[in-house]
Amino acid sequence: MMPERTMNADLDKFPEGFIWGAATAAYQIEGAWNEDGKGESIWDHFSHQPGMIENGDTGDVACDHYHLWKEDISLMKTLGLDAYRFSMSWPRLLPDGRGRVNQKGLDFYSQLVDELLKAGIQPLVTLYHWDLPQALQDQGGWPVRDTALAFTEYTDLATRHLGDRVKFWATFNEPFVSAYIGYLEGRHAPGHKDLGEMLATAHHLLLAHGWAIPIIQKNIDSAEVGIVLNIGPQVPASDSDADKAAARQLDGIINRWYLDPLAGRGYPDDVVQHYSLPLDFIQPSDMEAIAVPIDFLGVNYYTRGVVRSTEIPESDNAPRVIFPNLVKTEMGWEVYPEGLFDTLVDIHRDYSFPVLYITENGAAFPDHIDADGAVNDPQRVTYLQEHLLATARAIRDGVPVRGYFAWSLLDNFEWAHGYSKRFGLIYVDFQTQRRVLKSSARWYQQVISGNAVVDA
Ligand code: IFM
């Protein structure tokens, strides 16, 4: 935990032009899973199988944003957002993954962008936030190289249609999560558990990113392009060599496996050795393509990892470090704002991407509507406050963080947890689709208008 402190006007001020935003993703909010010609995605498919999602929830309706997008944009306007990060649903545009275009899908995003711009809100589009067209999964999905090619066709279509109005483009959201949880742990779509598939997936996601960047730049003169990674420090649970090695390994698996190739260093040797599988899916010039220069790196930060070796029995290991006053969110994730500061400083020192955006940061807590109709979420306010103070400190130390996107604008479908975890600044009653601004939203509104972290 960061030490308690009061707000100080100078220290908590953000640079002029700092971008204040909020983020969502298509499958988590849109609903309308099979409306107006949309094709099935791997998340439609996965969530429709019994037992995959808590309470049997699905994204079929979600926040019904496909129909309520106007109301949602007016809420964004109320908050005073400078920018809104959302993802496009690939199968809404290309129901079969490639080829046949669904004009109604294009129209949906086109009108969304127009309305955002009318409200003075910059769109930042993520092209892929996990909802691969099922038709491509049926042909092998991400472990198959051709899927990366299909992604470039989708990128071309999306950027040709929206490039006159959308300047900020992120190719992928959290490729680690797509690859590791979807293809190795099996807790996310498509629910596979295969190390070889996971490695090929990770490579093809990065390759698709590398191939897509020049296409976006060709279609849009002034495009700002990047990719979004989930990054967090992985620290040893004790001073034992075994724990230190385990932490280093997890840092390699989660962070360096993506950062190193994007920065032109190839896959980290220590992790290649750890996997000890042939990486025979890598073809000549792939690594060069992946290392294409980008304008920004998006950083999604929620927590750190405290890592203990499983190689030696606990009794033989060094005494475990005790983390006092450990506060957790409803996800069971430690609240550790200092980790955001460390992450920003470390990435800047080790990789020097031109600009960093915090593309996601936020917390799930068990919110409810009080008798007076209000939703009070002081824990979320504290979480956001502390993380913003950490961000301000990193900026003062020279890290080029240019914007912050709270996760999430709305309570939404939290993947395998369904609707049981609420991350929103705005409460959603999933029975009625009524939206209620939480106290954190009101607080964020003041932060944005003052361009500074303020007291609750
Ligand atoms: O909801 C997710 C989001 O889709 C990706 N980043 C983490 C969030 C919270 O788990």
Side-chain angles (χ1 to χ4, degrees):
M1 287 291 298
M2 298 232 309
E4 264 200 35
R5 47 162 309 193
T6 50
M7 304 297 144
N8 168 322
D10 284 339
L11 294 183
D12 310 330
K13 192 95 190 136
F14 280 75
E16 216 173 299
F18 190 80
I19 296 173
W20 294 104
T24 63
Y27 188 72
Q28 294 181 272
I29 65 162
E30 282 180 7
W33 77 280
N34 60 357
E35 250 181 85
D36 285 346
K38 177 183 167 291
E40 189 187 30
S41 80
I42 56 174
W43 270 95
D44 295 316
H45 194 82
F46 186 72
S47 69
H48 290 161
Q49 289 166 38
M52 293 306 178
I53 313 291
E54 231 172 293
N55 302 318
D57 290 342
T58 72
D60 290 4
V61 178
C63 307
D64 200 21
H65 173 77
Y66 187 76
H67 299 110
L68 300 178
W69 56 275
K70 269 201 177 174
E71 177 183 344
D72 291 338
I73 293 176
S74 81
L75 290 168
M76 293 178 215
K77 206 173 165 186
T78 305
L79 292 187
L81 296 188
D82 300 315
Y84 172 51
R85 172 177 176 240
F86 64 96
S87 78
M88 291 174 77
S89 157
W90 181 349
R92 203 178 280 293
L93 261 53
L94 293 160
D96 310 312
R98 53 206 316 183
R100 185 172 61 91
V101 175
N102 179 32
Q103 186 58 44
K104 287 196 169 154
L106 278 175
D107 293 346
F108 170 68
Y109 293 110
S110 189
Q111 62 190 6
L112 183 75
V113 163
D114 286 343
E115 189 77 10
L116 284 168
L117 293 174
K118 210 163 87 189
I121 300 169
Q122 281 285 333
L124 189 166
V125 173
T126 310
L127 284 160
Y128 186 82
H129 199 123
W130 309 352
D131 44 358
L132 184 73
Q134 180 62 32
L136 295 180
Q137 185 59 43
D138 293 341
Q139 293 161 41
W142 284 111
V144 171
R145 189 176 174 90
D146 209 35
T147 303
L149 200 63
F151 179 77
T152 64
E153 296 162 13
Y154 157 57
T155 299
D156 188 45
L157 175 74
T159 53
R160 269 191 294 108
H161 279 82
L162 295 179
D164 55 337
R165 287 157 289 158
V166 179
K167 179 178 161 162
F168 296 96
W169 293 86
T171 51
F172 286 89
N173 181 72
E174 303 180 357
F176 162 79
V177 176
S178 287
Y180 208 88
I181 304 188
Y183 283 89
L184 182 62
E185 293 186 347
R187 290 185 291 119
H188 281 185
H192 294 194
K193 295 182 181 174
D194 185 297
L195 179 61
E197 282 198 14
M198 185 283 277
L199 289 170
T201 292
H203 183 68
H204 294 142
L205 291 169
L206 287 171
L207 186 61
H209 157 81
W211 283 347
I213 295 288
I215 296 173
I216 305 173
Q217 289 166 330
K218 171 181 66 77
N219 288 342
I220 310 166
D221 280 345
S222 58
E224 301 270 330
V225 293
I227 184 168
V228 172
L229 303 182
N230 54 296
I231 311 180
Q234 303 300 319
V235 300
S238 79
D239 278 341
S240 74
D241 288 344
D243 283 355
K244 284 184 190 157
R248 172 83 184 147
Q249 190 177 86
L250 208 57
D251 170 58
I253 290 171
I254 298 175
N255 300 326
R256 288 179 290 119
W257 194 259
Y258 300 88
L259 286 164
D260 280 14
L262 289 167
R265 298 178 198 161
Y267 292 115
D269 283 341
D270 58 320
V271 193
V272 172
Q273 275 172 33
H274 158 72
Y275 284 133
S276 79
L277 276 188
L279 305 182
D280 48 10
F281 41 75
I282 304 179
Q283 295 192 10
S285 81
D286 281 7
M287 301 316 291
E288 205 183 319
I290 292 170
V292 62
I294 50 179
D295 300 305
F296 68 85
L297 178 76
V299 176
N300 290 356
Y301 176 84
Y302 290 89
T303 189
R304 67 172 170 177
V306 179
V307 189
R308 190 167 185 82
S309 163
T310 52
E311 310 240 308
I312 43 176
E314 202 164 311
S315 51
D316 294 344
N317 206 339
R320 188 189 266 281
V321 172
I322 304 300
F323 299 99
N325 303 323
L326 207 144
V327 183
K328 290 187 173 168
T329 70
E330 214 195 356
M331 296 294 280
W333 297 345
E334 180 192 3
V335 177
Y336 190 67
E338 196 62 22
L340 176 56
F341 174 80
D342 293 343
T343 297
L344 296 170
V345 169
D346 290 354
I347 295 177
H348 182 54
R349 184 197 53 224
D350 296 345
Y351 297 97
S352 302
F353 291 102
V355 163
L356 302 179
Y357 290 110
I358 297 172
T359 33
E360 286 182 28
N361 176 238
F365 290 110
D367 307 312
H368 57 268
I369 304 189
D370 292 337
D372 63 359
V375 180
N376 285 303
D377 56 343
Q379 289 169 295
R380 182 170 293 102
V381 172
T382 305
Y383 179 99
L384 296 173
Q385 237 169 8
E386 290 179 340
H387 285 79
L388 283 175
L389 289 173
T391 306
R393 198 148 59 86
I395 295 173
R396 282 201 303 281
D397 282 6
V399 182
V401 185
R402 301 280 188 260
Y404 175 94
F405 293 79
W407 184 268
S408 177
L409 178 74
L410 303 167
D411 290 338
N412 59 46
F413 178 84
E414 177 55 24
W415 307 111
H417 297 286
Y419 298 100
S420 69
K421 304 284 181 277
R422 294 181 175 273
F423 274 89
L425 294 168
I426 299 172
Y427 184 94
V428 177
D429 176 335
F430 292 105
Q431 302 306 315
T432 62
Q433 293 298 344
R434 189 160 73 94
R435 274 83 161 131
V436 179
L437 261 59
K438 300 181 190 176
S439 53
S440 58
R442 306 256 178 230
W443 169 83
Y444 194 47
Q445 198 177 31
Q446 289 174 47
V447 170
I448 297 173
S449 71
N451 198 34
V453 187
V454 294
D455 274 320

